[in-house]
Every structure is written in C-alpha cells, then in structure tokens.
Amino acid sequence: MTGLASSTKLTLLTLASGRSGTSYLADFFARNVQQCYSTHEPYFIPGNPVLFGKPIYWNTRGNDNVLVPVLKRKCRFIANCKAPVYFESNHAFLKAFNRHAGALLKNPGFIHLVRHPGKVAKSELLREQLARRMHIPFVDYTSDTGERYFRWALTGKEEIFQYYEGHTLSRFQFYLLQWIEIEYRAMQLINQNGWQDRVFFIDVDAQLKDEAVLRRMLGFFDLRHKPRFNMDLRRNKTPFVGPTIMTTQDELEMRWVMESLPDVYRVLLKGEPYSECSSWAISDWLNADTK
C-alpha cells in the first residue's frame, strides 16, 4: 500500500463494530502517526458528520436523497484537510456509509478490527444499559416515520434480523447479529470494490496492543511515525463495569443465533480473516454440521 505516493489524499477508515478497539487505535494514531489528521468519532467538528443516528436509519431504508448529501459533506471535509492522510476510527462508517463508499471515497485504506463477537455483543449491551441508567440525553432518536432507535446501533430492520422474525431476541442477541451484519458489510465492501490490497487486518484480542503488529500496519500504509511509540493509550472502558465476561446464558444465546444463521453468513464466518483469529474460533459456535 503506497497511499502517500498518490496525488490523492489517503483516507484511512476502520471496518469495525463498536467496542472493538476503535478509540484505542485513534489514540495510537494521534500520539504516534505524523502528517495525519486523526479522529475517532468527530462530534462537534463543523462540516464533518459523525453519521450516528438518522444516517444509519436512512442507509437501512435506502433513503439516499437525504443520506448522500451528508456523505458528500463528509467527503468534502476530508478532501479539505491539509494533512496528506486522513484517519477516522468511527464504527458508524459501515452502519451508514457502506453502500456509497465505492463511489464516493478516493484512495481509501482500511483497518479491519475483529474482536470476539460475544465480547463485542456483551460490551455493547453493557454500554447501552449504562447510558440508560445514567439517563444520558439523546441516546435515542426518532426516525422519519416515528420509530425510536438507539443512536449508535443498527435499527433491527436490516435483512439479517428478518431471518429471526417470530423469535424474541435478547438485546445481547441483537448486538451479536449486528456484529455479524457489520462483518458481512465489511467483506462485501472489500470484495465488490476489489480493495483486498487496501486492508490491514487486526485480531483485536491478540494483536491490537502488539507494537510489532502496529508497526507493520503503519508500514503497510506507508505512514510516517515517531521512531519510538507512545503506548500509554486510552482504553475506553465502560464506567462502573469490570471486565467483559460472557455468562453461561450468553453462551447458550450465542450458540442458538449461530446455529440458526443462513448459509451466506455461515460461509463468510468460516473463512478468512475469521478463521485466523487465534484467541477464539467462530466454528465453536457455528456447529456447521447442523445446516
């Protein structure tokens, strides 16, 4: 990957669910990468839409008349940044931008962050529960047709959820299906645009805090950086909550979701890069012989 040699700005984005190390990676970029505009979730930055809330709903509904102008505004902000590299580790990207990335992004690069799906789902659940207990304002938004949705999540109207109609899903299972949908979108984006050589994969559980892996990542994208890394980085822990631990009930709920997945998702998750994750195996839950 030789993005800096291009006459077009290198735009680096993460392919990731929330609770997958995106804020940690953003802090790493901010402290160690040179000649790069770095951001995580660009709240309150004029002209740079954060893409949570209604853009997610518009993307799900295919309402491009209102969605595309927002995405184009974000692309103009990126183009106008003076730094030769723009980096954003925002998990809203695959929730709101995936269908139009091929047409709108110029010279993109991607860091694919994959964390244990059960831990992602449990962490997402705990973060939402905390936000509601603390009565944080604006955690929900109202769609154009009056439904209420959690601002940082998918709507539950996406196609993957339709396969589970007639079943009452727990919120943990909702977030597990969201993880699968995000991974499906990530691989679609890569394969449909021929961007395989523009993606650097990180197994979050085993590699995200490994300096050697991070150094290889910067080399992959030809990024300038400090000779010695500052690794005293932000860990976006959920307040008042300890380590993310899956219970026996979580394991049972996860296994049921995985065993009921349609083949298109099962085939995806049995292949690379998921088969390369060293600290967990998706096949433990897929139970491929049942389909």
Side-chain angles (χ1 to χ4, degrees), residues 15 23 32 38 139 199:
L15 306 178
S23 62
N32 297 291
S38 302
V139 298
V199 182

Side-chain angles (χ1 to χ4, degrees), residues 255 269-270 274-275 280-288:
R255 186 174 295 277
L269 295 175
K270 286 163 61 179
Y274 313 100
S275 60
W280 52 274
I282 201 75
S283 58
D284 291 347
W285 297 283
L286 283 172
N287 193 10

